[in-house]
PDB file of all heavy atoms in Angstrom:
ATOM      1  N   VAL A  96     -25.848 268.414  26.452  1.00  0.00           N
ATOM      2  CA  VAL A  96     -24.515 268.036  26.888  1.00  0.00           C
ATOM      3  C   VAL A  96     -23.724 267.464  25.752  1.00  0.00           C
ATOM      4  O   VAL A  96     -24.072 266.520  25.148  1.00  0.00           O
ATOM      5  CB  VAL A  96     -24.494 267.027  28.021  1.00  0.00           C
ATOM      6  CG1 VAL A  96     -23.175 266.534  28.447  1.00  0.00           C
ATOM      7  CG2 VAL A  96     -25.311 267.547  29.258  1.00  0.00           C
ATOM      8  N   PRO A  97     -22.497 268.162  25.442  1.00  0.00           N
ATOM      9  CA  PRO A  97     -21.737 267.622  24.338  1.00  0.00           C
ATOM     10  C   PRO A  97     -21.138 266.276  24.674  1.00  0.00           C
ATOM     11  O   PRO A  97     -20.589 266.056  25.789  1.00  0.00           O
ATOM     12  CB  PRO A  97     -20.661 268.580  24.077  1.00  0.00           C
ATOM     13  CG  PRO A  97     -20.609 269.392  25.310  1.00  0.00           C
ATOM     14  CD  PRO A  97     -21.925 269.264  26.076  1.00  0.00           C
ATOM     15  N   LEU A  98     -21.273 265.242  23.878  1.00  0.00           N
ATOM     16  CA  LEU A  98     -20.807 263.954  24.220  1.00  0.00           C
ATOM     17  C   LEU A  98     -19.398 263.777  23.472  1.00  0.00           C
ATOM     18  O   LEU A  98     -19.043 264.534  22.605  1.00  0.00           O
ATOM     19  CB  LEU A  98     -21.738 262.904  23.649  1.00  0.00           C
ATOM     20  CG  LEU A  98     -23.055 262.890  24.392  1.00  0.00           C
ATOM     21  CD1 LEU A  98     -23.987 261.805  23.796  1.00  0.00           C
ATOM     22  CD2 LEU A  98     -22.969 262.704  25.876  1.00  0.00           C
ATOM     23  N   GLY A  99     -18.677 262.711  23.836  1.00  0.00           N
ATOM     24  CA  GLY A  99     -17.465 262.364  23.244  1.00  0.00           C
ATOM     25  C   GLY A  99     -16.220 263.230  23.692  1.00  0.00           C
ATOM     26  O   GLY A  99     -15.102 263.012  23.251  1.00  0.00           O
ATOM     27  N   GLU A 100     -16.444 264.125  24.581  1.00  0.00           N
ATOM     28  CA  GLU A 100     -15.279 264.922  25.045  1.00  0.00           C
ATOM     29  C   GLU A 100     -14.577 264.231  26.116  1.00  0.00           C
ATOM     30  O   GLU A 100     -15.253 263.534  26.974  1.00  0.00           O
ATOM     31  CB  GLU A 100     -15.879 266.268  25.645  1.00  0.00           C
ATOM     32  CG  GLU A 100     -14.810 267.277  25.699  1.00  0.00           C
ATOM     33  CD  GLU A 100     -15.377 268.693  25.772  1.00  0.00           C
ATOM     34  OE1 GLU A 100     -16.545 268.785  25.561  1.00  0.00           O
ATOM     35  OE2 GLU A 100     -14.617 269.606  26.060  1.00  0.00           O
ATOM     36  N   SER A 101     -13.370 264.319  26.206  1.00  0.00           N
ATOM     37  CA  SER A 101     -12.540 263.622  27.159  1.00  0.00           C
ATOM     38  C   SER A 101     -12.709 264.324  28.472  1.00  0.00           C
ATOM     39  O   SER A 101     -12.102 265.413  28.606  1.00  0.00           O
ATOM     40  CB  SER A 101     -11.167 263.405  26.855  1.00  0.00           C
ATOM     41  OG  SER A 101     -10.462 263.119  27.978  1.00  0.00           O
ATOM     42  N   ARG A 102     -13.391 263.753  29.416  1.00  0.00           N
ATOM     43  CA  ARG A 102     -13.505 264.450  30.706  1.00  0.00           C
ATOM     44  C   ARG A 102     -12.189 264.644  31.384  1.00  0.00           C
ATOM     45  O   ARG A 102     -11.872 265.709  31.920  1.00  0.00           O
ATOM     46  CB  ARG A 102     -14.483 263.543  31.595  1.00  0.00           C
ATOM     47  CG  ARG A 102     -14.644 264.067  33.020  1.00  0.00           C
ATOM     48  CD  ARG A 102     -15.630 263.120  33.719  1.00  0.00           C
ATOM     49  NE  ARG A 102     -15.911 263.580  35.061  1.00  0.00           N
ATOM     50  CZ  ARG A 102     -15.231 263.225  36.161  1.00  0.00           C
ATOM     51  NH1 ARG A 102     -14.172 262.479  35.970  1.00  0.00           N
ATOM     52  NH2 ARG A 102     -15.525 263.754  37.307  1.00  0.00           N
ATOM     53  N   ARG A 103     -11.448 263.588  31.438  1.00  0.00           N
ATOM     54  CA  ARG A 103     -10.084 263.745  32.055  1.00  0.00           C
ATOM     55  C   ARG A 103      -9.284 264.829  31.444  1.00  0.00           C
ATOM     56  O   ARG A 103      -8.635 265.593  32.152  1.00  0.00           O
ATOM     57  CB  ARG A 103      -9.372 262.417  32.071  1.00  0.00           C
ATOM     58  CG  ARG A 103      -7.928 262.339  32.677  1.00  0.00           C
ATOM     59  CD  ARG A 103      -7.413 260.985  32.629  1.00  0.00           C
ATOM     60  NE  ARG A 103      -7.824 260.211  33.791  1.00  0.00           N
ATOM     61  CZ  ARG A 103      -7.217 260.127  34.872  1.00  0.00           C
ATOM     62  NH1 ARG A 103      -6.015 260.811  35.046  1.00  0.00           N
ATOM     63  NH2 ARG A 103      -7.552 259.427  35.913  1.00  0.00           N
ATOM     64  N   ALA A 104      -9.288 264.825  30.039  1.00  0.00           N
ATOM     65  CA  ALA A 104      -8.377 265.758  29.403  1.00  0.00           C
ATOM     66  C   ALA A 104      -8.878 267.166  29.625  1.00  0.00           C
ATOM     67  O   ALA A 104      -8.038 268.138  29.892  1.00  0.00           O
ATOM     68  CB  ALA A 104      -8.424 265.500  27.897  1.00  0.00           C
ATOM     69  N   ALA A 105     -10.208 267.342  29.752  1.00  0.00           N
ATOM     70  CA  ALA A 105     -10.712 268.679  30.008  1.00  0.00           C
ATOM     71  C   ALA A 105     -10.272 269.171  31.440  1.00  0.00           C
ATOM     72  O   ALA A 105      -9.958 270.271  31.646  1.00  0.00           O
ATOM     73  CB  ALA A 105     -12.287 268.693  29.869  1.00  0.00           C
TER      74      ALA A 105
END
Side-chain angles (χ1 to χ4, degrees):
V96 176
L98 296 178
E100 196 161 354
S101 163
R102 176 175 183 269
R103 177 176 279 266

